[in-house]
Amino acid sequence: MLIERIDIESFGKLKAMSIPINNRINIFYGPNESGKSMIAAFIKFMFYGYQGNKDSKLSENEKKLYTPWDTNKVAGSIIVHFKDRKYQIEREYSERERTRIIDLSTNIAVQTDEEPGMFFFKMSEDVFTKTAFLKQFETSEIGGENLAGMIQNIMFTADEDMNTQKTLQRLKDAKNILLSEDKNTGMILTLSKKCDGLITSLGDSVKDQKELLQMEGTIKDLEEKMLTNNAKKNELQDELENYKSYNASQELQKIENARKQTMNLKEALDRVIERHSNGDFTPDIEFSRQLLHIASKVSEKKEKLRSAVEQRNMSLVKYNECAERNKNFKIIEAAGGVDEIGEEYTKLKNSSGLFSALKIIFAVSTAVGILGAIGLYFSIANHNLAVTAIPAVFAVLTGVFANLEGKKKSETDEFYKSFDFENESDFAYVLDDYPDTDAQLTILQDDLDACENTVLETEKVFDETYAQARELLLKWNRTPESDDKSAEDFIKYASAAAEAAEEIQKAQSIYEQYKAKLDLMLEGIDEKSLRRSAAVARKPNYDEKDISKQLDFIIKANEHMHAKENEIGKNIAMVSAKLSDPVIMQSQIEFLEDKINDLTLKQNALELAIDTLTQSCSELRNSFAPRLSESAGNTFKMIMGGKYEDLFVDKNLEMNIDDNANTIKRRIEYLSGGTRDAAYLCLRMALIDLLFENEMPPFICDESFSNLDSLRLENLMKIFNALSKKTQIYIFTCHEREMQMFKNNTEVKIWSVTP
């Protein structure tokens, strides 16, 4: 059996963890308290649930250890391959306990009351933890007689719960019921005594029987006289039976009507399914959810594509603007170069500025001169107008400089317009910004290329998502109606699929409701018998109550005649009370003799079964120890590098080692902790190999190699590499050396576990 994936929803401190598992060796490496042992415990939890009860101490109560502090819910699942099928094991502990095994080929839960570990491995939790699960801080020892008995049961009956010793005791109890060991009690002895008594009574009964026959002849004469009275009684009883047949015909008609209605509803259900189906595909709510999910992805990817196109267009605008400026730079360069054009432009600007400054100076001077002239004019006695000459000169010069300033501005405008610039500020900006334009244009080109690549990648992702959505829709033989590749078509079809599923479910519900009524109507009914009774029915001629009254009257009349008959038959009754029929007695004698012979054969068979089972159990118990010794010993010699010759395992799984150096056998407890761990590890691997030929359980080692030195650990890893071809191996360790030994092995997956 192989584990494909582990999904932990909540277990201890582990939350929302999904681990795809390698088919060979999986190493979980990380520091202490990082959660490695919790992952190992989770695997066992999925197969066997919690170990320990509420009264156990904390270290033995797995429910207390692995229930999260922030919630009382423990849940998760694993997917396994078992005998060419894939199963999902789900387990949850919260308000209630829920465990399911789902066959993923049919999505139907397996109907079983067994724990998943018993269902897949046919071994109890005790056997699992003592063979395939090496728990952290737990002794490596396996535990002799108890586990040996379990293994015997598994190998002998393929069922750990089928105890061969109990079976043997039940066989002995069954034999003693037939005939005890001392032959003083038992069914055979009881029946033999009863048979002897019947043989003795048979002789006495023959004589009394002749007398009884004479009295019965007298009774027969009386019975013939009563036949006339019984004729009317039979007629009335026949009419009463007709009522039963008539009632049966009415009941049968109700059944036929219900069956016809049920068939019509089934045909209506088939029509609904046919109308909404495409071949073998019928839409359901899950299909509707899938369409809605893929529609949201299409919408998401399309929005990302729109955003990418918008970003690309913005980059293109920036690039074109920069390219336009760069074109003007080329015109300036062709006209003599930026430096020369800039120098000429600067001269024009300086001249214009100079004339503007002179204009302002002389304008101010003119204003000052006018004020001064006015003051002089009124201050002198003769009021001479000559004082106005100076302001007039300043005013003339102001006009001259204003005219020169205008000419320079006109020359400047003509200068930048000759280079196709509409205003002077753009022209000045281009002259100042020219040294950075080429570099900026390169940057904008790179940005534009990056945006274009983003558009192409986003468009590819969108097309793939849209193709997935279209392929999903094609399962229903539907295609999008619009060409704009929007999510609305898929949303519309999702709604249509939900409506179709609802219509099918409604028709299914109505059909099942009427089918249940029909089944309830047919429950306990023998329809063939009902038809036979209804076939002879006729319309009743009398009321049922009248028939009963007449029948009661005749019965009372017969009772009177029977009283007289009983008076005659008292003597017959007295004789019959103490007399048995010789024929019956002879039949009973023959029956008892056959029964005694049959029970004697069964007793002999039980004795043979007890002897055979006792011998088989002994041979099996003694045979698996040598097989374990050979398998575990070969592995142990490889790990120890040949230091110890043989590893011996007795029928109670106790081990001894043949020491090459001292040539003596030693019990395993006398050796070092590392040697003991290696020996018990070899025994566990041998037990798994012996008990399971095809579907082995996973082999889990949680911090199990701390006492092994590096050389022995390296030898063990070679053995693990070979064992992983038969079953998955899980190694949980905080030691880097285990990880280093396997890091270059392609068959190994190393998981880094962090706190």
Side-chain angles (χ1 to χ4, degrees):
M1 190 202 77
L2 297 176
I3 297 177
E4 180 181 297
R5 193 176 78 238
I6 299 173
D7 293 306
I8 304 175
E9 180 181 341
S10 176
F11 189 79
K13 69 176 183 179
L14 305 178
K15 299 289 182 64
M17 179 181 292
S18 182
I19 309 172
I21 300 299
N22 180 30
N23 286 346
R24 297 288 293 276
I25 300 176
N26 295 268
I27 298 180
F28 292 82
Y29 169 70
N32 291 329
E33 298 186 354
S34 61
K36 305 184 301 301
S37 294
M38 281 190 181
I39 297 174
F42 178 80
I43 297 174
K44 186 178 80 68
F45 165 77
M46 292 307 299
F47 286 113
Y48 293 101
Y50 283 130
Q51 182 181 23
N53 53 54
K54 64 180 181 180
D55 297 326
S56 301
K57 61 182 181 180
L58 181 60
S59 62
E60 297 175 356
N61 191 321
E62 294 182 345
K63 184 173 183 179
K64 293 180 180 178
L65 282 175
Y66 301 123
T67 298
W69 292 359
D70 57 348
T71 176
N72 65 346
K73 181 179 180 181
V74 175
S77 65
I78 62 175
I79 295 178
V80 301
H81 283 277
F82 178 72
K83 293 184 178 179
D84 299 326
R85 297 179 78 89
K86 187 182 290 188
Y87 297 87
Q88 179 166 311
I89 304 172
E90 299 177 350
R91 191 182 286 273
E92 177 183 332
Y93 279 80
S94 55
E95 299 289 335
R96 57 185 179 86
E97 177 183 354
R98 182 177 68 88
T99 304
R100 295 199 306 165
I101 304 173
I102 301 173
D103 186 341
L104 294 182
S105 63
T106 62
N107 283 331
I108 297 176
V110 177
Q111 298 300 317
T112 178
D113 294 330
E114 295 180 321
E115 287 287 353
M118 285 295 297
F119 178 81
F120 289 109
F121 308 141
K122 298 301 180 187
M123 66 161 58
S124 66
E125 181 180 10
D126 189 30
V127 176
F128 179 76
T129 55
K130 290 183 178 180
T131 55
F133 186 70
L134 282 73
K135 187 178 179 181
Q136 185 181 12
F137 307 128
E138 188 175 55
T139 177
S140 298
E141 297 183 10
I142 294 176
E145 178 67 25
N146 185 33
L147 183 60
M150 296 179 194
I151 293 170
Q152 170 187 295
N153 296 334
I154 293 174
M155 296 180 67
F156 195 85
T157 66
D159 187 351
E160 183 267 332
D161 290 330
M162 187 69 70
N163 191 299
T164 53
Q165 295 303 318
K166 291 182 180 179
T167 303
L168 185 60
Q169 185 59 46
R170 284 196 290 268
L171 290 174
K172 291 180 179 179
D173 293 341
K175 173 182 170 294
N176 289 331
I177 290 173
L178 297 180
L179 188 63
S180 63
E181 294 291 340
D182 55 9
K183 298 185 179 180
N184 289 330
T185 59
M187 292 177 61
I188 294 176
L189 183 61
T190 301
L191 293 177
S192 296
K193 292 179 179 179
K194 186 176 181 180
C195 184
D196 293 340
L198 284 173
I199 293 173
T200 302
S201 300
L202 179 60
D204 298 334
S205 178
V206 171
K207 181 179 178 180
D208 295 335
Q209 190 70 29
K210 292 179 181 180
E211 183 181 353
L212 183 62
L213 288 173
Q214 293 175 357
M215 289 186 290
E216 287 178 345
T218 304
I219 292 296
K220 184 175 181 181
D221 293 337
L222 292 174
E223 289 178 345
E224 289 177 353
K225 295 178 182 179
M226 297 173 61
L227 288 176
T228 302
N229 292 335
N230 287 334
K232 183 63 177 178
K233 175 183 174 182
N234 292 337
E235 180 183 351
L236 293 174
Q237 287 179 336
D238 180 66
E239 189 65 22
L240 194 61
E241 285 296 321
N242 178 60
Y243 261 102
K244 295 180 181 179
S245 299
Y246 180 76
N247 292 334
S249 67
Q250 297 298 309
E251 183 69 20
L252 190 62
Q253 184 62 43
K254 292 180 182 179
I255 292 174
E256 292 296 337
N257 292 339
R259 181 177 284 118
K260 184 176 180 181
Q261 191 172 21
T262 302
M263 292 177 62
N264 290 338
L265 290 172
K266 181 62 170 66
E267 292 173 357
L269 171 62
D270 293 340
R271 288 194 298 271
V272 171
I273 294 175
E274 182 179 1
R275 185 168 70 252
H276 293 296
S277 298
N278 173 38
D280 296 333
F281 177 79
T282 301
D284 53 15
I285 296 300
E286 178 60 26
F287 178 71
S288 174
R289 293 194 187 102
Q290 291 175 356
L291 281 177
L292 288 174
H293 177 68
I294 199 70
S296 67
K297 292 178 67 176
V298 168
S299 178
E300 175 190 351
K301 302 304 180 186
K302 188 169 184 179
E303 177 60 24
K304 288 184 178 180
L305 177 59
R306 185 199 63 76
S307 177
V309 170
E310 183 178 339
Q311 186 64 37
R312 189 266 315 273
N313 293 340
M314 292 173 60
S315 297
L316 182 61
V317 169
K318 292 180 181 179
Y319 175 81
N320 290 336
E321 290 177 353
C322 185
E324 184 65 25
R325 291 196 302 273
N326 195 53
K327 182 180 72 174
N328 294 330
F329 296 155
K330 299 301 181 182
I331 296 173
I332 294 172
E333 190 69 27
V338 174
D339 294 338
E340 182 178 341
I341 298 303
E343 183 179 353
E344 185 175 354
Y345 170 71
T346 301
K347 289 180 179 179
L348 289 174
K349 290 293 290 182
N350 291 339
S351 299
S352 175
L354 176 62
F355 290 137
S356 177
L358 291 174
K359 177 188 72 174
I360 293 171
I361 292 172
F362 281 102
V364 171
S365 299
T366 300
V368 172
I370 291 173
L371 293 174
I374 293 173
L376 289 174
Y377 178 77
F378 288 102
S379 64
I380 58 176
N382 56 1
H383 299 291
N384 191 352
L385 294 175
V387 294
T388 63
I390 293 175
V393 172
F394 286 157
V396 171
L397 290 175
T398 299
V400 171
F401 287 128
N403 183 47
L404 292 175
E405 179 189 9
K407 287 182 178 181
K408 290 300 180 180
K409 285 186 176 181
S410 297
E411 290 179 6
T412 302
D413 290 343
E414 291 175 359
F415 185 72
Y416 70 73
K417 287 180 179 179
S418 66
F419 294 103
D420 294 331
F421 285 95
E422 294 183 359
N423 54 68
E424 184 180 358
S425 62
D426 289 344
F427 180 67
Y429 173 77
V430 169
L431 290 178
D432 293 339
D433 194 46
Y434 178 75
D436 299 327
T437 303
D438 282 339
Q440 186 178 8
L441 189 63
T442 301
I443 293 172
L444 291 175
Q445 180 65 55
D446 292 341
D447 182 61
L448 181 61
D449 291 341
C451 290
E452 188 66 34
N453 289 334
T454 301
V455 169
L456 293 175
E457 292 174 0
T458 308
E459 186 175 22
K460 180 180 178 182
V461 172
F462 170 75
D463 289 341
E464 290 175 352
T465 304
Y466 187 82
Q468 293 174 2
R470 185 182 177 88
E471 183 178 356
L472 178 62
L473 191 58
L474 281 174
K475 291 174 64 177
W476 197 21
N477 197 26
R478 304 293 195 273
T479 56
E481 295 179 354
S482 61
D483 297 330
D484 60 352
K485 294 185 176 181
S486 65
E488 282 72 14
D489 286 339
F490 301 104
I491 296 174
K492 181 184 72 175
Y493 281 119
S495 177
E499 292 174 359
E502 183 178 357
E503 184 178 356
I504 292 171
Q505 181 62 36
K506 183 177 180 181
Q508 179 78 28
S509 177
I510 296 174
Y511 162 70
E512 290 177 352
Q513 180 181 355
Y514 278 84
K515 180 66 167 55
K517 290 181 180 179
L518 177 61
D519 292 341
L520 184 61
M521 188 179 295
L522 293 174
E523 186 176 350
I525 297 295
D526 185 350
E527 197 169 351
K528 290 183 179 180
S529 177
L530 202 64
R531 290 184 184 278
R532 286 195 299 268
S533 180
V536 297
R538 68 179 186 276
K539 186 175 181 180
N541 296 321
Y542 305 98
D543 184 82
E544 188 174 6
K545 294 182 179 179
D546 292 339
I547 296 173
S548 299
K549 289 179 180 179
Q550 293 183 44
L551 189 59
D552 288 341
F553 176 80
I554 293 174
I555 290 174
K556 289 179 180 179
N558 281 342
E559 287 176 353
H560 177 72
M561 287 184 285
H562 278 302
K564 190 173 182 178
E565 181 184 12
N566 290 337
E567 192 176 319
I568 298 172
K570 285 181 180 180
N571 292 331
I572 295 176
M574 292 175 61
V575 175
S576 299
K578 65 178 181 178
L579 180 65
S580 298
D581 190 339
V583 177
I584 295 176
M585 294 178 69
Q586 183 63 42
S587 175
Q588 290 176 341
I589 291 170
E590 293 175 355
F591 172 78
L592 289 174
E593 289 175 344
D594 291 340
K595 187 68 175 179
I596 291 169
N597 292 334
D598 183 51
L599 293 178
T600 302
L601 290 175
K602 288 184 178 180
Q603 181 208 9
N604 295 335
L606 286 171
E607 287 181 349
L608 179 60
I610 291 170
D611 293 341
T612 302
L613 183 58
T614 301
Q615 182 179 358
S616 298
C617 289
S618 177
E619 291 176 355
L620 180 63
R621 191 76 174 259
N622 293 328
S623 67
F624 72 72
R627 294 165 62 188
L628 281 177
S629 295
E630 180 181 0
S631 178
N634 291 336
T635 306
F636 186 68
K637 282 191 285 187
M638 294 177 64
I639 295 177
M640 295 294 106
K643 179 177 180 180
Y644 298 99
E645 180 61 27
D646 286 307
L647 179 68
F648 299 96
V649 183
D650 64 20
K651 64 181 181 180
N652 292 329
L653 302 186
E654 302 295 344
M655 290 190 294
N656 298 282
I657 291 180
D658 192 349
D659 190 340
N660 281 343
N662 299 313
T663 63
I664 59 174
K665 292 183 180 179
R666 295 180 181 272
R667 287 184 59 83
I668 190 67
E669 288 78 6
Y670 286 102
L671 302 181
S672 67
T675 303
R676 288 200 307 272
D677 286 351
Y680 281 109
L681 186 61
C682 293
L683 180 55
R684 285 176 180 260
M685 290 187 288
L687 282 172
I688 292 176
D689 198 29
L690 180 63
L691 294 176
F692 304 92
E693 296 181 357
N694 297 321
E695 297 290 346
M696 292 187 178
F699 192 56
I700 302 172
C701 302
D702 185 10
E703 299 291 2
S704 305
F705 318 126
S706 300
N707 293 329
L708 295 182
D709 58 41
S710 296
L711 179 59
R712 292 178 178 179
L713 180 60
E714 186 174 353
N715 292 335
L716 174 61
M717 294 307 159
K718 294 176 182 178
I719 294 170
F720 274 2
N721 197 46
L723 180 62
S724 68
K725 296 178 181 179
K726 298 180 180 180
T727 185
Q728 285 177 310
I729 296 177
Y730 296 79
I731 298 174
F732 299 85
T733 180
C734 64
H735 300 289
E736 186 176 359
R737 62 173 183 165
E738 283 93 325
M739 182 190 68
Q740 292 296 330
M741 288 182 181
F742 272 119
K743 69 177 182 180
N744 295 323
N745 191 327
T746 58
E747 303 296 340
V748 176
K749 177 67 175 181
I750 299 177
W751 304 91
S752 179
V753 183
T754 56

